Amino acid sequence: MSEPLGDGTRVIHGGARVPAVGDPLHPGPVLSSTFALGSGSGDPPTDFYGRAGNPTWRALEAAIGDLEGGECTLFASGMAAVAAVLGTCARPGTVVLPSDGYYLARTLASDLGLPVRLVPTASAPDATFTDASLVLVETPSNPGLDVCDIAVVAARAHAAGALVAVDNTTATPLGQRPLELGADLVVASDTKALAGHGDVVLGHVTTADPALTEAVRTARTRGGAVPGPMEVWLAHRGLGTLDLRLERQAANARALATALREHPAVSDVRWPGLSDDPAHAVAARQMRRWNGVLRFTLADADAVGRFLAASGLVESATSFGGLRTSADRRQRWGDDVAPGLVRLSAGCEDSRDLVTDVLAALDQMG
Ligand SMILES: *Cc1c(COP(=O)(O)O)cnc(C)c1O
């Protein structure tokens, strides 16, 4: 009899093989682009060429697949993962995408000439799916931090014959298990909290459907959007502390969101972990834990610039999920949001220092 292992154990041991005596406990990245074929004329060995497969990839794929309950396929970036899902699952029908989610998914779908229907995340469960081949939801959405019920979307989309993919970047594999909620595919940018140290660009797709795994792996091998072994190795090292980092980041996000709501210069604070957030009820039902990403609105673009200049701890930078607290003004990237909307990624600093710094910066902003 065995209890299911906890998150902190699984991020360290998940997918790991028992080492043979004398094996390195901490093997480095396998950088070789080519592998010994031997003299036989049969099938090539598991590893033969670096675009088709690599042992360093397989180690992280096993770890992420264990957390998400499926087969993971790594990609060179989150967008390469999104592109593989659009390329393999979006035809022949319409692709339903979040109007308030990651902007490049929308841009890419229209670049590919796909028929697209945009739906706000919060109303995705009520959208029309009858003509859809693929429904992509992003929950919590970036940067809106709205949430939708994955199980309801999956049931309605499946009834209409569509596949469902969930962009799980913000939640992370510890925060949400979309395949257990009925999704067909998970897609994510591991550039964010999974790798977690701001030094890697990486993405993945996970599915429990062998035919979809095959299609996604073929898209990777032929399209060539393969990750570098060094990046994969760094991300695997980062994954080992994801449980610890999320715990601190979520505590910091809660402290910041709570303090920000009381400040007169701040409006519209959203973090799904707040018990009175509009997304809280659905998020609490389907998510396993919170994370460090929140958003709020200042008066205008200038106010955001003054706030970031006055803060000593909040880096003005895009991306999220790293050790350092960072924030950026989303309208500059073309998101359809208020000019003063700030997405803030709470890092792993001490809560008291962060809250003190952010409140002082808001006061100095004038
Ligand atoms: C960053 C991000 C992506 C794109 O990932 P990259 O690794 O930058 O290519 C996709 N979806 C979401 C929700 C993201 O935040």
PDB file of all heavy atoms in Angstrom, residues 77-80 82 102 138 142 167 169-170 189-192 201-202 320, ligand 1:
ATOM      1  N   SER A  77       9.895  26.218 -27.719  1.00  0.00           N
ATOM      2  CA  SER A  77       9.293  27.356 -27.008  1.00  0.00           C
ATOM      3  C   SER A  77       7.815  27.047 -26.804  1.00  0.00           C
ATOM      4  O   SER A  77       7.278  26.098 -27.405  1.00  0.00           O
ATOM      5  CB  SER A  77       9.433  28.645 -27.838  1.00  0.00           C
ATOM      6  OG  SER A  77       8.658  28.549 -29.024  1.00  0.00           O
ATOM      7  N   GLY A  78       7.176  27.869 -25.995  1.00  0.00           N
ATOM      8  CA  GLY A  78       5.728  27.729 -25.840  1.00  0.00           C
ATOM      9  C   GLY A  78       5.017  27.937 -27.166  1.00  0.00           C
ATOM     10  O   GLY A  78       4.067  27.219 -27.484  1.00  0.00           O
ATOM     11  N   MET A  79       5.463  28.897 -27.960  1.00  0.00           N
ATOM     12  CA  MET A  79       4.812  29.141 -29.248  1.00  0.00           C
ATOM     13  C   MET A  79       5.019  27.987 -30.212  1.00  0.00           C
ATOM     14  O   MET A  79       4.141  27.696 -31.023  1.00  0.00           O
ATOM     15  CB  MET A  79       5.280  30.465 -29.862  1.00  0.00           C
ATOM     16  CG  MET A  79       4.595  31.695 -29.294  1.00  0.00           C
ATOM     17  SD  MET A  79       2.769  31.570 -29.173  1.00  0.00           S
ATOM     18  CE  MET A  79       2.312  31.357 -30.900  1.00  0.00           C
ATOM     19  N   ALA A  80       6.170  27.321 -30.145  1.00  0.00           N
ATOM     20  CA  ALA A  80       6.366  26.138 -30.994  1.00  0.00           C
ATOM     21  C   ALA A  80       5.361  25.059 -30.596  1.00  0.00           C
ATOM     22  O   ALA A  80       4.836  24.334 -31.458  1.00  0.00           O
ATOM     23  CB  ALA A  80       7.793  25.620 -30.870  1.00  0.00           C
ATOM     24  N   VAL A  82       2.332  25.651 -29.218  1.00  0.00           N
ATOM     25  CA  VAL A  82       1.032  26.123 -29.720  1.00  0.00           C
ATOM     26  C   VAL A  82       0.938  25.867 -31.225  1.00  0.00           C
ATOM     27  O   VAL A  82      -0.093  25.385 -31.733  1.00  0.00           O
ATOM     28  CB  VAL A  82       0.840  27.631 -29.417  1.00  0.00           C
ATOM     29  CG1 VAL A  82      -0.403  28.182 -30.115  1.00  0.00           C
ATOM     30  CG2 VAL A  82       0.746  27.877 -27.907  1.00  0.00           C
ATOM     31  N   TYR A 102      -3.105  34.704 -24.373  1.00  0.00           N
ATOM     32  CA  TYR A 102      -1.790  35.077 -24.907  1.00  0.00           C
ATOM     33  C   TYR A 102      -1.920  35.518 -26.368  1.00  0.00           C
ATOM     34  O   TYR A 102      -2.394  34.743 -27.203  1.00  0.00           O
ATOM     35  CB  TYR A 102      -0.815  33.905 -24.765  1.00  0.00           C
ATOM     36  CG  TYR A 102       0.597  34.302 -25.071  1.00  0.00           C
ATOM     37  CD1 TYR A 102       1.277  35.183 -24.246  1.00  0.00           C
ATOM     38  CD2 TYR A 102       1.245  33.823 -26.201  1.00  0.00           C
ATOM     39  CE1 TYR A 102       2.578  35.561 -24.535  1.00  0.00           C
ATOM     40  CE2 TYR A 102       2.546  34.195 -26.491  1.00  0.00           C
ATOM     41  CZ  TYR A 102       3.200  35.069 -25.656  1.00  0.00           C
ATOM     42  OH  TYR A 102       4.491  35.456 -25.940  1.00  0.00           O
ATOM     43  N   GLU A 138      -7.435  29.144 -22.113  1.00  0.00           N
ATOM     44  CA  GLU A 138      -6.270  29.505 -21.315  1.00  0.00           C
ATOM     45  C   GLU A 138      -6.818  29.896 -19.956  1.00  0.00           C
ATOM     46  O   GLU A 138      -7.518  30.902 -19.844  1.00  0.00           O
ATOM     47  CB  GLU A 138      -5.582  30.686 -21.996  1.00  0.00           C
ATOM     48  CG  GLU A 138      -4.185  30.957 -21.516  1.00  0.00           C
ATOM     49  CD  GLU A 138      -3.604  32.135 -22.276  1.00  0.00           C
ATOM     50  OE1 GLU A 138      -3.468  32.065 -23.511  1.00  0.00           O
ATOM     51  OE2 GLU A 138      -3.320  33.145 -21.619  1.00  0.00           O
ATOM     52  N   ASN A 142      -3.860  34.818 -19.502  1.00  0.00           N
ATOM     53  CA  ASN A 142      -2.763  35.779 -19.394  1.00  0.00           C
ATOM     54  C   ASN A 142      -2.997  36.880 -20.407  1.00  0.00           C
ATOM     55  O   ASN A 142      -3.006  36.583 -21.589  1.00  0.00           O
ATOM     56  CB  ASN A 142      -1.442  35.041 -19.675  1.00  0.00           C
ATOM     57  CG  ASN A 142      -0.294  35.978 -19.973  1.00  0.00           C
ATOM     58  OD1 ASN A 142      -0.280  37.124 -19.534  1.00  0.00           O
ATOM     59  ND2 ASN A 142       0.668  35.516 -20.742  1.00  0.00           N
ATOM     60  N   ASP A 167      -4.139  25.825 -22.427  1.00  0.00           N
ATOM     61  CA  ASP A 167      -2.853  26.465 -22.164  1.00  0.00           C
ATOM     62  C   ASP A 167      -2.705  26.570 -20.653  1.00  0.00           C
ATOM     63  O   ASP A 167      -3.410  27.336 -19.997  1.00  0.00           O
ATOM     64  CB  ASP A 167      -2.790  27.842 -22.841  1.00  0.00           C
ATOM     65  CG  ASP A 167      -1.386  28.454 -22.754  1.00  0.00           C
ATOM     66  OD1 ASP A 167      -0.730  28.273 -21.712  1.00  0.00           O
ATOM     67  OD2 ASP A 167      -0.966  29.125 -23.708  1.00  0.00           O
ATOM     68  N   THR A 169       0.044  27.348 -18.911  1.00  0.00           N
ATOM     69  CA  THR A 169       1.272  28.062 -18.549  1.00  0.00           C
ATOM     70  C   THR A 169       1.173  28.720 -17.179  1.00  0.00           C
ATOM     71  O   THR A 169       2.055  28.562 -16.336  1.00  0.00           O
ATOM     72  CB  THR A 169       1.586  29.141 -19.600  1.00  0.00           C
ATOM     73  OG1 THR A 169       1.690  28.529 -20.879  1.00  0.00           O
ATOM     74  CG2 THR A 169       2.872  29.869 -19.269  1.00  0.00           C
ATOM     75  N   THR A 170       0.112  29.483 -16.962  1.00  0.00           N
ATOM     76  CA  THR A 170      -0.005  30.246 -15.715  1.00  0.00           C
ATOM     77  C   THR A 170      -0.179  29.304 -14.525  1.00  0.00           C
ATOM     78  O   THR A 170       0.442  29.493 -13.478  1.00  0.00           O
ATOM     79  CB  THR A 170      -1.184  31.223 -15.798  1.00  0.00           C
ATOM     80  OG1 THR A 170      -1.063  31.971 -17.010  1.00  0.00           O
ATOM     81  CG2 THR A 170      -1.181  32.192 -14.633  1.00  0.00           C
ATOM     82  N   SER A 189       3.991  27.111 -21.998  1.00  0.00           N
ATOM     83  CA  SER A 189       5.312  27.721 -22.085  1.00  0.00           C
ATOM     84  C   SER A 189       6.056  27.422 -20.797  1.00  0.00           C
ATOM     85  O   SER A 189       5.665  27.891 -19.722  1.00  0.00           O
ATOM     86  CB  SER A 189       5.185  29.237 -22.264  1.00  0.00           C
ATOM     87  OG  SER A 189       6.460  29.835 -22.085  1.00  0.00           O
ATOM     88  N   ASP A 190       7.119  26.636 -20.898  1.00  0.00           N
ATOM     89  CA  ASP A 190       7.938  26.329 -19.722  1.00  0.00           C
ATOM     90  C   ASP A 190       8.996  27.392 -19.468  1.00  0.00           C
ATOM     91  O   ASP A 190       9.757  27.309 -18.496  1.00  0.00           O
ATOM     92  CB  ASP A 190       8.578  24.949 -19.892  1.00  0.00           C
ATOM     93  CG  ASP A 190       7.516  23.879 -20.119  1.00  0.00           C
ATOM     94  OD1 ASP A 190       6.447  23.969 -19.476  1.00  0.00           O
ATOM     95  OD2 ASP A 190       7.737  22.975 -20.937  1.00  0.00           O
ATOM     96  N   THR A 191       8.999  28.395 -20.344  1.00  0.00           N
ATOM     97  CA  THR A 191       9.832  29.582 -20.149  1.00  0.00           C
ATOM     98  C   THR A 191       9.470  30.285 -18.833  1.00  0.00           C
ATOM     99  O   THR A 191      10.307  30.957 -18.231  1.00  0.00           O
ATOM    100  CB  THR A 191       9.568  30.566 -21.318  1.00  0.00           C
ATOM    101  OG1 THR A 191       9.659  29.855 -22.552  1.00  0.00           O
ATOM    102  CG2 THR A 191      10.520  31.726 -21.301  1.00  0.00           C
ATOM    103  N   LYS A 192       8.242  30.103 -18.398  1.00  0.00           N
ATOM    104  CA  LYS A 192       7.700  30.838 -17.255  1.00  0.00           C
ATOM    105  C   LYS A 192       8.028  30.071 -15.966  1.00  0.00           C
ATOM    106  O   LYS A 192       9.176  29.760 -15.724  1.00  0.00           O
ATOM    107  CB  LYS A 192       6.202  31.078 -17.458  1.00  0.00           C
ATOM    108  CG  LYS A 192       5.834  31.540 -18.882  1.00  0.00           C
ATOM    109  CD  LYS A 192       6.342  32.924 -19.213  1.00  0.00           C
ATOM    110  CE  LYS A 192       6.256  33.291 -20.699  1.00  0.00           C
ATOM    111  NZ  LYS A 192       4.976  33.069 -21.362  1.00  0.00           N
ATOM    112  N   VAL A 201      14.141  29.345 -22.759  1.00  0.00           N
ATOM    113  CA  VAL A 201      12.907  29.402 -23.548  1.00  0.00           C
ATOM    114  C   VAL A 201      12.558  27.965 -23.926  1.00  0.00           C
ATOM    115  O   VAL A 201      13.402  27.254 -24.498  1.00  0.00           O
ATOM    116  CB  VAL A 201      13.084  30.285 -24.804  1.00  0.00           C
ATOM    117  CG1 VAL A 201      11.825  30.239 -25.672  1.00  0.00           C
ATOM    118  CG2 VAL A 201      13.395  31.723 -24.412  1.00  0.00           C
ATOM    119  N   LEU A 202      11.343  27.529 -23.582  1.00  0.00           N
ATOM    120  CA  LEU A 202      10.981  26.118 -23.756  1.00  0.00           C
ATOM    121  C   LEU A 202       9.461  25.978 -23.690  1.00  0.00           C
ATOM    122  O   LEU A 202       8.779  26.810 -23.083  1.00  0.00           O
ATOM    123  CB  LEU A 202      11.608  25.297 -22.617  1.00  0.00           C
ATOM    124  CG  LEU A 202      11.603  23.775 -22.749  1.00  0.00           C
ATOM    125  CD1 LEU A 202      12.613  23.342 -23.807  1.00  0.00           C
ATOM    126  CD2 LEU A 202      11.964  23.097 -21.415  1.00  0.00           C
ATOM    127  N   PHE A 320       7.013  35.859 -16.894  1.00  0.00           N
ATOM    128  CA  PHE A 320       6.581  35.738 -15.495  1.00  0.00           C
ATOM    129  C   PHE A 320       7.017  34.395 -14.935  1.00  0.00           C
ATOM    130  O   PHE A 320       7.553  33.549 -15.649  1.00  0.00           O
ATOM    131  CB  PHE A 320       5.061  35.950 -15.361  1.00  0.00           C
ATOM    132  CG  PHE A 320       4.209  35.025 -16.198  1.00  0.00           C
ATOM    133  CD1 PHE A 320       3.775  33.811 -15.707  1.00  0.00           C
ATOM    134  CD2 PHE A 320       3.823  35.400 -17.484  1.00  0.00           C
ATOM    135  CE1 PHE A 320       2.980  32.971 -16.469  1.00  0.00           C
ATOM    136  CE2 PHE A 320       3.022  34.553 -18.260  1.00  0.00           C
ATOM    137  CZ  PHE A 320       2.604  33.339 -17.746  1.00  0.00           C
TER     138      PHE A 320
HETATM  139  C1  LIG B   1       4.614  33.038 -22.770  1.00  0.00           C
HETATM  140  C2  LIG B   1       3.365  32.332 -23.136  1.00  0.00           C
HETATM  141  C3  LIG B   1       3.281  31.613 -24.326  1.00  0.00           C
HETATM  142  C4  LIG B   1       4.408  31.555 -25.324  1.00  0.00           C
HETATM  143  O1  LIG B   1       5.523  30.892 -24.810  1.00  0.00           O
HETATM  144  P1  LIG B   1       7.042  31.178 -25.275  1.00  0.00           P
HETATM  145  O2  LIG B   1       7.834  30.220 -24.461  1.00  0.00           O
HETATM  146  O3  LIG B   1       7.334  32.621 -25.002  1.00  0.00           O
HETATM  147  O4  LIG B   1       7.095  30.877 -26.753  1.00  0.00           O
HETATM  148  C5  LIG B   1       2.093  30.926 -24.583  1.00  0.00           C
HETATM  149  N1  LIG B   1       1.054  30.979 -23.726  1.00  0.00           N
HETATM  150  C6  LIG B   1       1.104  31.673 -22.585  1.00  0.00           C
HETATM  151  C7  LIG B   1      -0.076  31.707 -21.670  1.00  0.00           C
HETATM  152  C8  LIG B   1       2.254  32.386 -22.261  1.00  0.00           C
HETATM  153  O5  LIG B   1       2.302  33.095 -21.127  1.00  0.00           O
END
